[in-house]
Amino acid sequence: MAISGNKTRDITIRLHIAGQSDPVDVLAKAGSKLSEAIWLSGKIPPISLCGGLGRCGRCRMRFMNWAPAPTAADREFFSAADLEEGWRLSCCHKATGPDASINIELPPQPEFFHNLHLDPAATGSRSAFLGIDLGTTSIQWQAVTGSGAVAACGSMPNPQGAVGADLVARIAHALTQDGLAQLSSLVWDGIKAILTTLAQAGFAVTSTCVAANSAMTEIFLRKDVSGLASSPWSLSYEGGEIIRRDAARFVFPPLFSPFIGGDISAGILALLHARTPRPFLLADLGTNAELAIVDENLRLFMASVPLGPALEGIGPLCGQPASENVITAFTSDPKGLKTRGCGTDTAAGISATGYISLLALLLRMGIMDRHGHFCDNARLPMATAIAANLGAMGDMPVLNLPLGMRLTANDVEILLKVKAAFATALRMLMQTSGLGPARLARVCIAGALGEHTASADLATLGFIPPVLAARTRPCGNTSLAGATLLAHLPQKMRILLKMRASATILQLANDPQFLNTYLSAMTWDWNAS
């Protein structure tokens, strides 16, 4: 039933978390979005959310005393029985009601840290150097001893995620002083938790380096982010310095532009330190794609282009960030498609690497053409069993996948736009640098995408020229590697500051060539663009 409740005073949200005996109280402004009130409170562990798009389903909750009318998104995720019991998506409802408090049940919540590892051989009272990769979606960290040995590492979702999966939502939230302080405090609290964990294990952190994109860096340091909110874009902070806070030393890598930040400069330093053959290309694909070419003479050419949250597992119908029980790859046999990365009976969704693997497989089999259209005239005999699962969801073509997953025409379009944007930025960067595919000695794909995606699949889909597939390597989390290096040896910042002074940075948004090149790249074929 409709509720005409409290719309002016603050609302107390009492969270009853499954598996926990004591409830958690959160104070929310009346009318605020429940997902933000709960997951921006800092009182429960952060989780990756779609930021109010109603697509991920991870912000589910149950109204215990009364429930607002379900939305269309609620009906997508919950059965009639669940809806009757009060289950809703918290991103679709606001803090309001007949009383000054709301009782809400939450499913079991994750541990604060994911993949936490402490090396027992390295424990004891000794100094350590902490590197942090502050990403839009997640925070990765590792601590090393003076010898460079990894003493501890872990990760956690970025606690700002309840605002939105993309940078635009974060910047918009940070345009007010209260919003800026809230987002900054959430990350500072996360770092304090890391430092506490290390102290309990016997490590005294001497220096911490935080590598992040420009927006995350400015928000973290409570700088003015208005220059990142609209054109002409500008930075209020350029990084490349060491600051003191709470008697601790923090290192911030240089920011090159509003859209090329300290995560990329740290990554470049890590590749140089590892003696990566030059000229090399560093490509970091996330909500943005940042690309950097370093030539034989350490000249630097850089570009950035927005990709949206699809490569973070958000946007496609079954998209999920990579985690346990999420499909990370597809293979095939005469009986049809097979999945990897999840159980044999269920799957929570499909990661970005899973989608890339799937699309490349469908393209090779002729089940999808280079324009992204599904085909029922597959050219390989074993494709027949897969093509038989082509159908429709309303008026939209859809391919039914194992474990109840689906690939829609809309999903294909979302990912094709990602490919077109990345391939366009890469093509224009190579043209500007004068370093074509034949001259690049190495292509380094950073992050989880590079580590778990086959270079052949990237070439098949036209992300990179086919000739570069053999020279493309996963290089892991270069941002984290560079941050750890700078925490240990901050004097290496001089290399990056010198490169920044002479860097060539493409302004793709203002380049009239970009749109035409992007439109021609809207196909699963590098040569078509």
Side-chain angles (χ1 to χ4, degrees):
M1 65 177 179
I3 295 173
S4 57
N6 180 0
K7 296 182 179 179
T8 57
R9 61 183 185 272
D10 288 344
I11 300 283
T12 298
I13 305 172
R14 175 152 291 184
L15 302 173
H16 302 264
I17 303 172
Q20 296 186 21
S21 57
D22 297 326
V24 175
D25 286 346
V26 171
L27 192 65
K29 291 183 179 179
S32 62
K33 189 180 295 184
L34 282 171
S35 58
E36 293 187 7
I38 294 169
W39 276 282
L40 291 180
S41 68
K43 293 190 175 183
I44 62 174
I47 59 176
S48 297
L49 298 173
C50 66
L53 298 178
R55 292 179 178 175
C56 71
R58 287 185 290 274
C59 68
R60 60 186 59 207
M61 63 178 189
R62 186 176 73 86
F63 287 90
M64 300 178 69
N65 298 329
W66 55 268
T71 65
D74 291 326
R75 296 185 188 281
E76 282 286 325
F77 279 94
F78 300 110
S79 67
D82 289 336
L83 293 171
E84 182 65 26
E85 290 181 2
W87 285 98
R88 302 286 189 271
L89 297 178
S90 61
C91 69
C92 296
H93 299 279
K94 295 181 178 180
T96 186
D99 304 311
S101 63
I102 307 173
N103 280 278
I104 286 175
E105 177 187 346
L106 291 180
Q109 296 299 296
E111 296 293 328
F112 189 84
F113 290 127
H114 298 179
N115 308 312
L116 178 62
H117 174 72
L118 296 168
D119 186 352
T123 56
S125 182
R126 60 183 68 182
S127 61
F129 306 91
L130 176 63
I132 296 175
D133 171 32
L134 172 55
T136 310
T137 303
S138 64
I139 299 174
Q140 312 283 331
W141 60 273
Q142 69 176 4
V144 300
T145 62
S147 66
V150 176
C153 59
S155 65
M156 59 182 285
N158 188 321
Q160 303 167 346
V163 170
D166 58 279
L167 287 175
V168 174
R170 310 284 176 89
I171 293 169
H173 193 84
L175 287 174
T176 68
Q177 286 299 315
D178 287 347
L180 180 64
Q182 182 184 45
L183 295 184
S184 175
S185 295
L186 286 169
V187 176
W188 277 112
D189 288 345
I191 291 178
K192 289 176 183 176
I194 295 170
L195 294 172
T196 298
T197 299
L198 291 171
Q200 290 172 346
F203 297 107
V205 173
T206 303
S207 177
T208 298
C209 177
V210 180
N213 63 46
S214 300
M216 288 292 98
T217 302
E218 289 194 353
I219 291 172
F220 178 58
L221 292 174
R222 300 194 186 187
K223 303 294 184 179
D224 179 9
V225 298
S226 59
L228 302 177
S230 61
S231 179
W233 321 104
S234 63
L235 289 170
S236 65
Y237 178 71
E238 294 186 344
E241 67 172 358
I242 300 171
I243 67 172
R244 293 277 178 177
R245 174 161 176 163
D246 299 332
R249 184 176 73 180
F250 286 86
V251 183
F252 292 90
L255 312 182
F256 286 89
S257 79
F259 302 108
I260 304 175
D263 49 350
I264 302 305
S265 58
I268 291 169
L269 184 64
L271 293 179
L272 292 174
H273 185 73
R275 301 185 182 277
T276 303
R278 299 198 299 266
F280 66 72
L281 165 72
L282 169 62
D284 192 339
L285 285 73
T287 52
N288 283 344
E290 291 95 7
L291 300 95
I293 289 178
V294 179
D295 73 4
E296 297 95 329
N297 300 313
L298 288 182
R299 290 188 304 165
L300 181 59
F301 303 85
M302 311 182 84
S304 173
V305 64
L307 300 181
L311 296 185
E312 305 289 354
I314 296 169
L317 179 65
C318 297
Q320 292 280 349
S323 62
E324 186 178 353
N325 208 31
V326 171
I327 298 170
T328 56
F330 286 85
T331 59
S332 66
D333 64 19
K335 294 182 180 180
L337 290 171
K338 304 296 179 184
T339 62
R340 292 180 181 172
C342 61
T344 57
D345 299 323
T346 62
I350 305 172
S351 71
T353 59
Y355 277 109
I356 289 175
S357 169
L358 173 63
L359 293 170
L361 181 62
L362 297 179
L363 190 61
R364 293 187 192 109
M365 292 185 133
I367 299 171
M368 184 176 65
D369 66 23
R370 68 187 186 92
H371 297 290
H373 302 136
F374 292 124
C375 307
D376 56 10
N377 56 342
R379 56 179 178 265
L380 297 177
M382 73 169 55
T384 304
I386 301 173
N389 292 298
L390 287 169
M393 191 170 66
D395 295 330
M396 184 186 300
V398 63
L399 177 65
N400 294 304
L401 305 171
L403 305 179
M405 300 291 105
R406 291 177 290 182
L407 176 70
T408 70
N410 184 60
D411 297 338
V412 177
E413 181 180 357
I414 288 171
L415 290 155
L416 189 52
K417 289 177 180 178
V418 168
K419 175 267 166 182
F422 176 80
T424 299
L426 175 55
R427 185 178 293 276
M428 295 178 69
L429 188 64
M430 289 193 296
Q431 289 173 350
T432 300
S433 68
L435 293 166
R439 289 190 58 192
L440 286 174
R442 185 66 51 83
V443 175
C444 303
I445 308 294
L449 192 73
E451 187 175 352
H452 300 290
T453 300
S455 59
D457 289 343
L458 294 175
T460 294
L461 296 175
F463 278 84
I464 58 174
V467 70
L468 283 179
R471 281 172 268 155
T472 298
R473 302 283 190 279
C475 55
N477 191 334
T478 55
S479 175
L480 180 59
T484 308
L485 183 63
L486 281 171
H488 190 192
L489 302 170
Q491 64 270 23
K492 287 188 174 289
M493 187 108 72
R494 291 193 294 265
I495 300 171
L496 295 174
L497 292 173
K498 184 176 180 180
M499 294 177 74
R500 182 175 67 177
S502 60
T504 298
I505 301 175
L506 274 63
Q507 304 297 333
L508 296 180
N510 301 323
D511 194 321
Q513 181 187 352
F514 180 83
L515 179 59
N516 289 334
T517 307
Y518 171 80
L519 292 174
S520 64
M522 281 287 291
T523 173
W524 299 121
D525 186 351
W526 171 268
N527 294 318
S529 58

